[in-house]
Amino acid sequence: MILLQSPSRYLLQILYNRLQNLEKAVELDCQWVEFDDIRYHIQGSVKTPNVLLLSVSFPIPPPETILFGGLPLGALEAIKAAYGVVAQILDPPRDGFNLTLKLNLAKLPSDEEQKNALLTKIASVREVVMGAPLRAVLKQLVTRTIPPDQGKPIALVHRPNESFFLVPQADKVTVIFPMRFSDSIDTVLASSFLQEFVEARRTAGLNNAPPCLWSPSPPEELNEAFTEAVSANAGFVSFVIFSRHVEGRKLDRTVWNLSTFHAYVNYHVKCTECFMHTRMRRQVESLIQALDRAKPDTEKAKKSSPSRSFKRMSLKDGNNSLGSRSWK
């Protein structure tokens, strides 16, 4: 099993390279796309090497989600709390993007450890923005706050035109994922993987992990949700989060793992499919080798067998041989 890392490794590398080469700064203009259709665009000029413009585009939200200015609830407050004076939110953002940040590298802390931590946090802008509403709901478990929308499902976007649901209650939060896959083979593998995933949770070493359930039909908590939102061809996965799962530093890890759960499953489904294809190719190669060994070696058989030739005798030759024998 592999867990995806929250910071964008390419973005983090760009920030480190820019910071280490401020005196030899060059024009910077990079665009790239990461999993779940997260697009990045970072720009920098020679005149102001300390200033970078970072634009981010998030997945297209489905109709059941609620956004504010193209961002999830609480995203702006989360950005200000995470980056402070280092990042400034530009309004409106660049065309085609949901968020544009003006980064001032000159305002980074002088302490190396704090500087590296803040750069990693900037590279984790995806987690900060998309995980803001999930973080706010899970914090209520720590503060023992009774949510105003108790028992009602809250839809959060995590993939293009797809969402997962939170059902907050006084002592727990139920997180429900409708699992959808476009490929029929992926659907079968994902259904089997998720059922094994639930069974693995029951082992003795995972007693402290959140309870996990899988069902082929929507849970009762989603009775009030849109019909299209609860359509899934690989079933529904539910996690029950208690206060012990979000205490202290566990909150960040829980938010990230839940936000990227579908990508986690999709990654392992593709790895399983690749492994099966590799095994099938090896099996075919071994069968071909066995067939090659079973073929008779005709050339070698010709060389080993003695050469024999027969001459057909005529009637005249037969009489002559008989006559010669009678004289003897």
Side-chain angles (χ1 to χ4, degrees), residues 117-150:
L118 188 53
L119 290 176
T120 304
K121 199 69 175 178
I122 294 174
S124 305
V125 60
R126 168 204 179 107
E127 176 192 3
V128 173
V129 175
M130 297 190 64
L134 177 58
R135 185 186 304 273
V137 173
L138 294 180
K139 277 186 176 180
Q140 295 176 355
L141 292 176
V142 181
T143 59
R144 308 291 181 180
T145 303
I146 299 177
D149 47 1
Q150 182 175 351

Side-chain angles (χ1 to χ4, degrees), residues 75-323:
L76 297 179
E77 292 77 7
I79 293 172
K80 295 176 182 178
Y83 305 140
V85 297
V86 177
Q88 177 186 354
I89 303 173
L90 300 184
D91 189 20
R94 293 293 180 90
D95 292 339
F97 294 91
N98 303 106
L99 174 68
T100 299
L101 297 177
K102 183 178 181 181
L103 306 176
N104 192 342
L105 302 182
K107 295 183 179 181
L108 288 171
S110 57
D111 183 72
E112 285 296 326
E113 185 176 353
Q114 295 180 1
K115 182 188 300 183
N116 294 334
L118 188 53
L119 290 176
T120 304
K121 199 69 175 178
I122 294 174
S124 305
V125 60
R126 168 204 179 107
E127 176 192 3
V128 173
V129 175
M130 297 190 64
L134 177 58
R135 185 186 304 273
V137 173
L138 294 180
K139 277 186 176 180
Q140 295 176 355
L141 292 176
V142 181
T143 59
R144 308 291 181 180
T145 303
I146 299 177
D149 47 1
Q150 182 175 351
K152 297 182 180 179
I154 303 173
L156 302 181
V157 61
H158 69 133
R159 301 181 74 240
N161 294 317
E162 293 186 16
S163 58
F164 68 100
F165 298 89
L166 306 180
V167 183
Q169 296 179 357
D171 58 341
K172 64 181 180 180
V173 174
T174 304
V175 186
I176 305 172
F177 292 89
M179 305 302 295
R180 306 180 183 93
F181 293 88
S182 57
D183 187 78
S184 58
I185 297 178
D186 292 350
T187 303
V188 175
L189 292 177
S191 301
S192 177
F193 175 84
L194 292 172
Q195 294 178 55
E196 292 294 331
F197 188 86
V198 173
E199 291 295 329
R201 163 62 182 81
R202 299 176 182 176
T203 58
L206 298 176
N207 290 332
N208 294 327
C212 179
L213 300 174
W214 179 87
S215 63
S217 58
E220 297 180 357
E221 292 87 348
L222 299 183
N223 290 336
E224 299 180 2
F226 292 95
T227 305
E228 296 180 356
V230 296
S231 60
N233 54 8
F236 297 80
V237 181
S238 303
F239 294 96
V240 182
I241 308 299
F242 295 98
S243 58
R244 67 176 184 272
H245 300 131
V246 293
E247 294 175 347
R249 296 182 178 180
K250 294 180 181 179
L251 177 61
D252 293 338
R253 184 175 59 182
T254 302
V255 169
W256 174 249
N257 290 341
L258 291 175
S259 301
T260 58
F261 177 72
H262 194 286
Y264 167 85
V265 174
N266 192 43
Y267 173 86
H268 287 88
V269 167
K270 294 299 183 183
C271 288
T272 303
E273 190 173 352
C274 181
F275 176 75
M276 294 175 62
H277 289 174
T278 303
R279 290 288 301 271
M280 291 169 62
R281 292 189 186 99
R282 290 179 180 175
Q283 186 67 19
V284 171
E285 291 176 357
S286 64
L287 292 176
I288 292 175
Q289 293 176 359
L291 291 175
D292 290 340
R293 290 192 299 266
K295 290 181 180 179
D297 195 344
T298 56
E299 295 182 357
K300 187 176 180 181
K302 289 180 179 180
K303 293 181 180 179
S304 60
S305 61
S307 58
R308 297 179 180 181
S309 60
F310 299 90
K311 183 179 179 181
R312 185 175 182 180
M313 296 180 64
S314 62
L315 182 61
K316 183 178 179 181
D317 294 335
N319 294 332
N320 292 337
S321 60
L322 290 174

